[in-house]
Amino acid sequence: MSIKTAKRIRLTLSYLILSGAIAVVIYPILWVVGSSFNPGNSLSSSTIIPENATLDHYKKLFAETEYLTWYWNTLKICFITMVLSVIFIGLTAYAFSRYKFIGRKNGLLLFLILQMIPQFVAILAIYILTYQIGLLDTHLALILVYVGGLIPMNTYLAKNYYDTIPKELDESARIDGAGHFRIFWQIILPLSKPILAVIALFSFISPFADFILASILISSDEKQTLAVGLFNMISNKFGNNFTLFAAGSVLVAIPIGLLFLSLQRYFISGLTAGGTKG
């Protein structure tokens, strides 16, 4: 077999694998979008390409449900969680990467172990703690739990990224009289935008995808998140409305997609490549 033929076979196999992966991802999305435009309430009568497409489900979503309230609650929780997570993770990872202190190694090991424990394992402890401190049925409780759960894994990732930034930059700035916070703010932070963008995206998506914690810590209808509100649409066996649920699910992707597009340039940028030049 010639080299040219072997190259074509590898290229063909690569395209086939990528096409299969794309189909696996796209097919369910097309079904959800198609179902949201199908008339009726049942998924069994829905088609991926609606024959009689309608916007009634989207109109009903805003007119007859508390969808806007759920949406606002979720956006508020996601945004605050994202901001606090980026701040705490950025500072914590910088401390682990640049400072030498007692317990540093054990702290990193603890973060690594915490990544292996699912958050829902501690649901009972979280519920009792929020009850004792008077934060049960509040958005603040959810935000604190989300931020605390995001710190271990993302701190480890950010710390490894900070380690790739040359320490000579810190030393040069320190010679010029810069303090620790100024070094972090003016040198480390601009060079670490790619990893912080990834952390921001993960921190924003996590509350959107969470159902268990939100359903346990929040009991008031006016404080419900999207995940809980949408689940209630299909949890009642006498009032299942899957097409309305599909319409609500489609709109969930809008803020996540916008955030991804706004941060996309940081995902592929290699800002540390020229850190020691000049």
Side-chain angles (χ1 to χ4, degrees):
M1 182 183 298
S2 63
I3 297 177
K4 189 175 182 180
T5 303
K7 184 177 180 180
R8 288 180 177 177
I9 293 175
R10 288 195 298 268
L11 188 61
T12 302
L13 290 175
S14 299
Y15 279 118
L16 289 175
I17 294 174
L18 289 175
S19 299
I22 292 173
V24 170
V25 173
I26 296 297
Y27 185 73
I29 297 176
L30 293 178
W31 259 110
V32 172
V33 174
S35 298
S36 68
F37 291 104
N38 274 277
N41 298 328
S42 176
L43 287 180
S44 59
S45 60
S46 299
T47 56
I48 194 170
I49 301 178
E51 295 180 0
N52 300 308
T54 177
L55 293 174
D56 290 344
H57 300 306
Y58 290 93
K59 296 176 182 178
K60 185 178 179 181
L61 197 65
F62 294 104
E64 301 181 16
T65 69
E66 299 296 325
Y67 187 78
L68 285 177
T69 302
W70 305 335
Y71 215 107
W72 166 249
N73 292 338
T74 306
L75 283 178
K76 179 177 67 175
I77 293 172
C78 290
F79 180 77
I80 297 176
T81 300
M82 178 185 68
V83 173
L84 293 179
S85 296
V86 171
I87 293 173
F88 289 137
I89 292 170
L91 293 173
T92 305
Y94 176 70
F96 276 108
S97 175
R98 289 302 197 259
Y99 299 157
K100 304 295 182 182
F101 52 89
I102 298 175
R104 175 177 175 271
K105 184 177 180 180
N106 292 332
L108 289 173
L109 182 61
L110 178 62
F111 281 173
L112 187 61
I113 294 174
L114 289 175
Q115 297 179 46
M116 306 175 187
I117 303 175
Q119 201 171 38
F120 66 84
V121 173
I123 284 179
L124 181 60
I126 292 173
Y127 182 87
I128 294 174
L129 179 61
T130 53
Y131 174 77
Q132 290 179 341
I133 62 179
L135 292 180
L136 196 62
D137 195 27
T138 63
H139 291 160
L140 180 59
L142 276 178
I143 292 171
L144 294 177
V145 172
Y146 290 145
V147 173
L150 289 165
I151 287 177
M153 178 184 68
N154 291 290
T155 296
Y156 208 86
L157 293 176
K159 184 264 180 187
N160 291 335
Y161 188 92
Y162 287 161
D163 289 343
T164 64
I165 300 177
K167 293 184 179 180
E168 289 80 2
L169 298 175
D170 302 34
E171 297 171 358
S172 299
R174 198 170 290 112
I175 292 174
D176 292 337
H180 295 293
F181 182 77
R182 187 176 181 183
I183 292 173
F184 172 76
W185 183 259
Q186 295 186 351
I187 297 177
I188 304 298
L189 194 61
L191 294 175
S192 59
K193 285 181 180 178
I195 190 62
L196 293 180
V198 173
I199 292 173
L201 184 63
F202 288 166
S203 302
F204 189 85
I205 293 175
S206 294
F208 259 109
D210 176 66
F211 167 77
I212 297 178
L213 289 174
S215 62
I216 292 177
L217 298 182
I218 301 297
S219 57
S220 302
D221 294 338
E222 67 275 7
K223 296 180 181 179
Q224 286 182 349
T225 61
L226 270 174
V228 179
L230 290 176
F231 176 77
N232 290 337
M233 291 182 181
I234 57 175
S235 60
N236 185 358
K237 64 180 180 179
F238 297 108
N240 289 340
N241 201 332
F242 290 99
T243 48
L244 189 65
F245 173 87
S249 301
V250 170
L251 297 179
V252 168
I254 294 177
I256 298 176
L258 292 176
L259 181 64
F260 178 83
L261 292 176
S262 63
L263 298 177
Q264 187 178 16
R265 66 182 184 274
Y266 296 118
F267 297 154
I268 57 177
S269 60
L271 294 179
T272 58
T276 56
K277 294 181 180 179

